[in-house]
Amino acid sequence: MPGVEVIAEGVVKTYSGGTTALRGVDLEAPRGRITTLLGPSGCGKTTLLKVIAGLERPDRGRILFDGRDVTGLPPERRNVGFVFQDLALFPHLNVFENVAFGLRVRRLPDPEVRRRVRWALELVGLDPGEYGSRRVNQLSGGQQQRVALARALVVEPSVLLLDEPFAHLDYKIKQRLLLELKRIQRETGATVVYVTHDQNEAMSVSHRIAVMRDGLVVQVGDPVEVYERPANSFVASFFGEANILPGEGGFIVVRPESVRLLGPGEDGVDYRLAGVVDDVVFQGPLVYVYVRVNGSTVRAALPRGAPTPSVGDRVVVGWSRRDARVVAE
Ligand code: ATP
């Protein structure tokens, strides 16, 4: 089923204990795209996802699917699929029945159930013949994540809600599943809202990123936009690495890859500062040089193979005006 446009309008949610998790959130998740909610622990990402799913009722505000107000509808009437962090697979059921669950609830005829479960398992890269009859506790962590994803997809949702679905997996498996998620999204056309606190995951997977802080969305844009034009120092430091230096009328944000180390007489920059090398850290394709400048530290990311100074060296760092941004806060 093709995706719908998801809009959250002025959503407020206070839990019974008194915590206000959402303080008037506005969000637009375009149809058939992957929108990521990115933010630190406790900023309200999961709560917003649950409100979109219909698992939590907002105190104020509305949720619209293609313009239709679904705020009062239960999850089963929203055509959503979701995977939360704990996966909540049924340990006593085999893979086939775990995936079939949502279809059995809808009382679909057996041949239809078999056809759709096979389709969903193949979509997530699990051979139905090989895995269908296995118990879920006989699967690896990555395979269990695939089962959870298949279970969400089997109902052909127009909105797929994923809350850190690949948490606790090792880096390579996670990268592979992220690529597969993008393929699945393209094949199904579903609108995906994806929650993570991991900026790399957000960069890998998103068409659009909504950065959240303290129950509010503080910036929305495509990954390049948010990276190149962070709205404030919080976004700059949370999404990608940033040098944030006090300046006139705000803070100056410069990404480490835009910082140059200048040799004697070298020019081509608009700003230059002298300092002393504090540390040099090898990180695969990049080498990070930490330079102490007037009580602040400036990080420069140099491509591997570039001339690298040593700890204690006196150096000059610089950058051009177009690579620096002045932000508030
Ligand atoms: P994380 O990345 O750690 O999962 P999050 O951004 O998803 O965090 P939420 O789970 O939405 O954040 O929580 C937002 C705030 O609401 C937190 O302060 C949390 O303690 C509180 N909260 C979440 N669920 C409940 C609940 N059921 N009852 C009371 N407070 C809750």
Side-chain angles (χ1 to χ4, degrees), residues 10 34 90 123 246 276 294:
I34 303 177
F90 307 115
L123 198 58
V276 177
N294 306 329

Side-chain angles (χ1 to χ4, degrees), residues 98-118:
N98 263 278
V99 177
F101 185 76
L103 305 175
R104 301 263 189 238
V105 171
R106 282 160 216 228
R107 300 183 185 286
L108 290 187
D110 257 358
E112 174 75 2
V113 171
R114 276 198 299 277
R115 187 186 66 73
R116 283 173 63 166
V117 170
R118 269 202 303 273

Side-chain angles (χ1 to χ4, degrees), residues 170-314:
D170 78 45
Y171 179 78
K172 280 195 174 156
I173 295 178
K174 193 187 270 192
Q175 288 305 315
R176 205 169 68 220
L177 287 172
L178 288 172
L179 285 179
E180 288 187 31
L181 173 64
K182 283 164 81 167
R183 172 186 57 79
I184 290 167
Q185 188 278 325
R186 279 194 303 270
E187 283 179 21
T188 60
T191 301
V192 176
V193 183
Y194 187 92
V195 164
T196 182
H197 62 270
D198 180 332
Q199 48 158 314
N200 292 319
E201 231 171 287
M203 284 191 204
S204 309
V205 82
S206 319
H207 296 113
R208 216 174 151 80
I209 291 179
V211 183
M212 290 186 69
R213 180 189 199 182
D214 289 343
L216 288 172
V217 170
V218 291
Q219 186 171 5
V220 185
D222 69 42
V224 175
E225 239 168 74
V226 177
Y227 186 79
E228 289 186 348
R229 294 193 292 283
N232 53 42
S233 60
F234 170 79
V235 175
S237 61
F238 202 80
F239 192 56
E241 289 194 51
N243 293 296
I244 300 174
L245 307 164
E248 278 168 43
F251 288 90
I252 298 160
V253 174
V254 192
R255 299 292 183 187
E257 67 274 19
S258 301
V259 176
R260 291 180 49 199
L261 285 187
L262 302 166
E266 222 182 309
D267 213 350
V269 296
D270 300 308
Y271 301 98
R272 47 169 67 227
L273 297 165
V276 177
V277 175
D278 249 355
D279 204 354
V280 177
V281 179
F282 172 71
Q283 293 252 302
L286 296 173
V287 178
Y288 282 85
V289 180
Y290 291 73
V291 180
R292 196 153 27 83
V293 174
N294 306 329
S296 305
T297 299
V298 174
R299 268 168 308 166
L302 309 178
R304 193 162 59 97
T308 308
S310 307
V311 173
D313 283 359
R314 296 188 165 280

Side-chain angles (χ1 to χ4, degrees), residues 15 17 19 21 39-48 56 85 164 195 197:
Y15 284 109
T19 306
S41 183
C43 71
K45 305 179 297 291
T46 299
T47 304
L48 180 55
E56 290 286 355
Q85 277 174 52
E164 311 226 16
V195 164
H197 62 270

